[in-house]
Amino acid sequence: MQDKHLSPLNLVNRLEDILIAIFLASFIGNPLHIDSFKLGIIFVIITIVWDIISYLCFTYSIEDKQIVIKKGVIFKKIIHVPFARIQSIEHSQFFLFRPFDVEKLQINNASKSGSHDQIILSAVKTYVGAILEEKHKQYQTQDVDVNDDVEQPDVEKIEDNNQEEINHGYAQYKISTRDIALYTFTSFRVFITMFLIAHITHGAVLDFAISIYQKGFGSNLVSLIAFSIMAIIIALLLSFIYTMFQFYDFTLVKEGKYLEYEKGLFTRNKVRLSIDRIQSVLVEQNVMGKLLKIMTVKIIMASDGSDEESSQAVVLPILNSHKYAEMMNDFFEWIPLKTVEKFNVRKRSIWLFFRNFDWILLIIPIVIYFIGWTTLSYSLVVIGVFTFFYTLGNAYFKYRVSSIGLTGDAKDDYLIVSNGFLFKQRTYYVGWHEIQSIRFESSVFMKRNNLAHIVIRIRKGDSAQIAGVQYIDYDGAQKIYDWYRQ
Amino acid sequence: MKKLPESVKTVWLYSAVITIIVEIIIFTIATIVVKYLDWKYVEYILPVLGTILVVLALVDMVSIPYRYAFHQYAIHEDRVEIKKGFIFREQATVPIARVQNVDIEQGPILRHKNLYKISIYTSADSHEIAAVTKEESENIKTQVMRLAMEARNAR
């Protein structure tokens, strides 16, 4: 396939540019006293012409060993990506494009060239995606991974396709409505958004809503309580609807060496990746999750994109705690689950985590001493008290969930790093080969108390993920450090 | 473990002195401009900010012998190790197999002393060896790249 253009439906995608043009025209026209209507027409015509030209200037070619993209109107660019370098392929189908069999394809490779060089085919027929998936499968056998030097010429090993179908098994996961309902209870996103809206509008929205209730219920206290209950229910419903749209009909399938997941209502996203591209498996659980006994499993991959799907994708949105071992064995069977060594964070860390953040609160009395007792100092005290209790709880939470462990002594073994941040526990399973570097940190004061930190770096998306534990036993940290140095 | 060359102390000294001079110039100009424009509140922040930054640069200057004494690196067969600090100490290990490329850079002060800064890049991050002689930099680069090539071919 040489020099093919995208589907004309791509221009539908670009319709929003016209809106932007109109908006820009009205924005500029008024201050400069130019007729915004005439300016708008000129802008819209320029935008349409530009969009058509850039559509015509974009071509893709699927060659034997690589895909080549030519794009650019003024500055022309040619991007080559060998199929062996593909980390994952993402399909995104807008529901209106379904009858036309058109979807958006994003091919992730491990380079760090930046988002402007990403291979994104915004609108192509679905058979193109099928061809690319075949090529992806075919070139997987070359055992190339993110650790290889991108400059090296491609070493070709033309292997039998049969060899690679060593089926490690098949596993499937489908989300249920009950799972989505549970998920909404663990997500604080909607509450935070509502809180922010209330705050930004300086309580105007709040007052308005309360006044409606007062008309209905009369007395102040009853209407306030009714209002709060209503607000919480609305928040939960919105959160449920949002999660429903995100994870609608979420399905995860593991087939041999591939992981494929599908989700979404308005835009159907499908991602397929080879399991040896996975840098780390991340299990997240926040306080609500601990109560309801559910967790979320994500995978961290290397890619040239920084969006969620390309760097830290959710593969199991809801996982019941008691099904944890079963799921890990089904989908991530190469990760040994037995922990041979484990080092927990020491109790002293509660005080240390607290002190590390809250020493700043000491500034508040000093500031108040200087500027006197004004409304600013009042809000400062409120913030101070809130921060004090929040960080105290957070420090205790961190103490309880942080630990580091090894599944064995060899280079084939995995490091299990668990830490906590903002009341969410994150557990990373990283293999020896996926750790890019390790840092052993301590200080004279810490050494006296036999404490140390261990911090590792993993490749995530087009940047890095830093994972570590703080304030574990010095000797334990030394053991972990020595394991990596073998 | 190897230490950095002695001349790096002079480099750090020059760098700290230049930083202090530039900071003093910037803050004097800023104070004059602010006084001229009559921005009441900024008037108080500037001297505080300025003194803090200058003090930091002075601390940098004073800590040069300490930093020099406790900065070491070693290039083994299969890994690069870098050690820093005594009060706050940090040891980093990078397996050669994870190294993607080695960059050698030289700013004006380093050039004056014929020294080079080495950056070892992995897929996720980079590690720096502050200053080495030209000969040592070439040694490190060839050694690390050769070991990296071998490590990759061996897999």
Side-chain angles (χ1 to χ4, degrees), chain A residues 258-322:
Chain A
Y258 291 92
L259 217 56
E260 187 178 289
Y261 65 88
E262 267 191 62
K263 66 180 191 190
L265 182 61
F266 286 139
T267 313
R268 192 94 186 130
N269 279 315
K270 188 164 85 163
V271 177
R272 185 189 176 86
L273 57 118
S274 146
I275 59 179
D276 48 11
R277 300 296 195 237
I278 296 177
Q279 300 294 305
S280 162
V281 175
L282 167 62
V283 179
E284 287 187 348
Q285 191 178 38
N286 66 16
V287 215
M288 283 306 284
K290 283 192 184 294
L291 262 172
L292 299 169
K293 299 217 185 309
I294 57 177
M295 36 178 82
T296 304
V297 180
K298 298 183 180 176
I299 49 170
I300 297 182
M301 316 174 259
S303 78
D304 52 346
S306 53
D307 55 302
E308 279 276 316
E309 289 310 319
S310 319
S311 54
Q312 198 177 292
V314 176
V315 289
L316 293 168
I318 321 291
L319 176 63
N320 276 315
S321 304
H322 62 267

Side-chain angles (χ1 to χ4, degrees), chain A residues 233-253:
Chain A
I233 294 179
I234 292 179
L236 285 175
L237 244 121
L238 285 174
S239 182
F240 178 76
I241 293 174
Y242 179 73
T243 317
M244 194 63 162
F245 281 164
Q246 258 197 315
F247 291 116
Y248 183 77
D249 209 16
F250 184 98
T251 318
L252 173 73
V253 170

Side-chain angles (χ1 to χ4, degrees), chain A residues 403-415:
Chain A
S403 68
I404 190 166
L406 288 171
T407 63
D409 276 327
K411 279 194 187 175
D412 289 326
D413 283 304
Y414 277 68
L415 184 69

Side-chain angles (χ1 to χ4, degrees), chain A residues 167-190:
Chain A
N167 215 330
H168 290 281
Y170 176 90
Q172 194 189 27
Y173 163 92
K174 256 180 112 70
I175 202 170
S176 67
T177 324
R178 180 178 164 273
D179 287 339
I180 296 184
L182 274 180
Y183 188 83
T184 59
F185 279 102
T186 65
S187 164
F188 299 124
R189 193 188 304 115
V190 179

Side-chain angles (χ1 to χ4, degrees), chain A residues 82-89 107-109 132-146 155 157-161 163-165 255 257-259 272-278:
Chain A
F83 294 120
R85 299 262 161 225
I86 294 180
Q87 297 279 319
S88 63
I89 300 181
I107 301 173
N108 291 316
N109 61 57
L132 287 169
E133 294 282 7
E134 268 309 303
K135 293 279 189 186
H136 178 43
K137 230 185 207 173
Q138 195 184 344
Y139 284 85
Q140 279 304 293
T141 58
Q142 288 193 13
D143 197 19
V144 164
D145 71 343
V146 76
V155 176
K157 291 181 255 167
I158 303 170
E159 288 190 11
D160 255 335
N161 265 343
Q163 251 184 340
E164 154 251 339
E165 287 321 314
E255 244 175 331
K257 288 182 74 184
Y258 291 92
L259 217 56
R272 185 189 176 86
L273 57 118
S274 146
I275 59 179
D276 48 11
R277 300 296 195 237
I278 296 177

